Amino acid sequence: MKPVLRATGQQGWGRAYFAMQAVAGLAWWTLVFLAPPVRAATLGTLDPVAVAALDIPLFVLCSALAACGIRWAAVVATGWTALVAAALAVYSTFTTEAGLGVLMMMAATACSGLALCFVLLGRVPTDWIIRGPFAFRSAASNRPATAHVSATIAQMILFWGFFLVAVPLVISWLEGRWLVSLPVPQFAVNAGAVILVLASILGVSSAVTMSSKGRGTPLPSAMPNRLVIAGPYRWVRNPMAVAGIAQGIGVGLILGSWLVVAYAMIGSFVWNCAVRPLEEADLENRFGAEFRRYRSSVSCWLPRVGRNFGRS
C-alpha cells in the first residue's frame, strides 16, 4: 500500500478539502491569539497555548500533509478532529463555554470523515449501511396484511419516539447548555405545530398504504413484496421520507431549536444521497420496468402540479 496518492477523481476532492481545512485551521488559530472574542467563543477559558501545542501539528499540519496525499496524515487529522469535537462537547456541556467551537469541530469532523473516505477509498462506502441486518429483504409473503400494518405501526412508534422525541430533546438541551440558541418568534412555534400534525398524517397514511398494499414494512429487512402506487405514493415516490423530514422541522420549530431544524435538514441530505439510491436500485432490481415507469412519472420529493401516476 503506497503512502501517497495521486490526486485523481474523488481522491482529489478529498485532498482539496484537507488543504482548505489546513488553511482554515491556521486562520482560526491566528484569530484565537489576536482576537479575544474569538478565543472566548471557541475555546472558552481553555489555555490556547496548551491546546495549540497539540492541535496545530495534529490538525493543521496533518491536514496539510493529507492534502499532499499522505494517507496516515489524513487518518490522524480526522481522528484528532473527532476526538477534539467530543472532548469540547463534554467541556462545553459542563461549563457552558466554547459552544461555537463545538459546532465548528462537529462540522469539521463530518467533513473530514467524508474527505478521508475519498482519500482512502475514492468514494463514500454507502453500501456498507445495507449489510447484515440492514440488507434489503422482502417481507414474508404469507403473512396477512394486518400483520404487516401492525408491525409498521410498532416501528413508527419506536422510530418516532427516538428520532422525533428523544434526539430532538437532547439536541435542544445541548443547544441551551452550549449557549448557541437563537430567539424564535411565536408564529414559528405555531407553524411548527401545524407542520408536525400535517406531516404526521402524511406519515401514517403512507405507512398504512405501504404495509397493507405492499405487504411489507418500511424496514429494509422486511420490504414490501409489491410496488406500491397508491395513496400518497401516486404523488411522490418517498412520502414517508418527506413526512419524516417535515416532522423533524416541525419539532424543531416547536422547541425553538435551530439545531433540531438543522438535524432534520442534514438527515434529509444524508437520506437522499446515501439511502435513496440504494433503495431505488433495490426496487428497480425487484420490479424492473414497472418501477422505471413509476420513477420517470413521479417526483421524489415534490408532487408535479396537475400530475400523478394515474394521470398524464
Side-chain angles (χ1 to χ4, degrees):
M1 182 179 293
K2 297 181 180 180
V4 178
L5 294 171
R6 290 178 295 176
T8 58
Q10 300 286 17
Q11 293 171 346
W13 284 106
R15 290 172 58 175
Y17 170 78
F18 279 115
M20 181 182 67
Q21 182 166 270
V23 173
L26 185 60
W28 174 68
W29 274 114
T30 301
L31 289 173
V32 164
F33 285 107
L34 296 180
V38 173
R39 181 167 63 249
T42 56
L43 287 180
T45 56
L46 291 172
D47 182 358
V49 175
V51 178
L54 292 172
D55 195 69
I56 289 178
L58 296 176
F59 181 74
V60 178
L61 181 58
C62 281
S63 293
L65 293 175
C68 297
I70 300 177
R71 292 185 173 190
W72 65 260
V75 175
V76 171
T78 302
W80 173 252
T81 304
L83 180 62
V84 170
L88 203 56
V90 173
Y91 170 78
S92 183
T93 301
F94 280 98
T95 66
T96 69
E97 297 179 351
L100 182 59
V102 176
L103 298 183
M104 290 171 54
M105 293 310 297
M106 289 176 67
T109 298
C111 293
S112 295
L114 291 175
L116 179 65
C117 289
F118 287 152
V119 168
L120 295 184
L121 305 174
R123 65 187 182 93
V124 178
T126 55
D127 54 300
W128 290 2
I129 64 180
I130 57 169
R131 294 182 180 179
F134 299 103
F136 290 120
R137 301 181 184 89
S138 296
S141 58
N142 57 350
R143 297 182 67 191
T146 53
H148 294 300
V149 173
S150 299
T152 297
I153 292 175
Q155 293 168 18
M156 290 176 62
I157 293 173
L158 178 64
F159 280 87
W160 285 11
F162 181 75
F163 290 106
L164 297 177
V165 178
V167 173
L169 286 176
V170 171
I171 292 175
S172 180
W173 180 77
L174 289 174
E175 184 179 317
R177 291 295 299 173
W178 297 345
L179 302 182
V180 293
S181 57
L182 298 173
V184 176
Q186 184 60 43
F187 78 84
V189 177
N190 297 336
V194 174
I195 291 171
L196 178 60
V197 171
L198 295 177
S200 297
I201 292 172
L202 174 62
V204 171
S205 173
S206 303
V208 172
T209 300
M210 171 190 282
S211 56
S212 61
K213 295 186 177 299
R215 292 186 177 273
T217 76
L219 284 183
S221 58
M223 296 288 285
N225 289 277
R226 303 171 185 171
L227 182 63
V228 178
I229 309 173
Y233 290 91
R234 294 178 61 202
W235 300 95
V236 289
R237 298 201 305 272
N238 299 282
M240 291 189 68
V242 172
I245 294 161
Q247 285 174 305
I249 293 173
V251 170
L253 293 175
I254 292 171
L255 294 175
S257 170
W258 71 270
L259 277 183
V260 173
V261 174
Y263 152 75
M265 298 302 295
I266 292 171
S268 70
F269 176 80
V270 171
W271 187 89
N272 186 66
C273 295
V275 179
R276 183 176 66 84
L278 301 174
E279 183 180 88
E280 294 196 343
D282 173 72
L283 290 170
E284 183 173 7
N285 182 60
R286 289 194 291 138
F287 301 113
E290 183 183 12
F291 174 74
R292 288 193 290 272
R293 288 195 300 270
Y294 174 60
R295 182 175 57 192
S296 66
S297 301
V298 178
S299 173
C300 175
W301 292 105
L302 298 175
R304 296 172 182 171
V305 178
R307 294 186 59 187
N308 61 41
F309 193 67
R311 179 176 61 198
S312 58

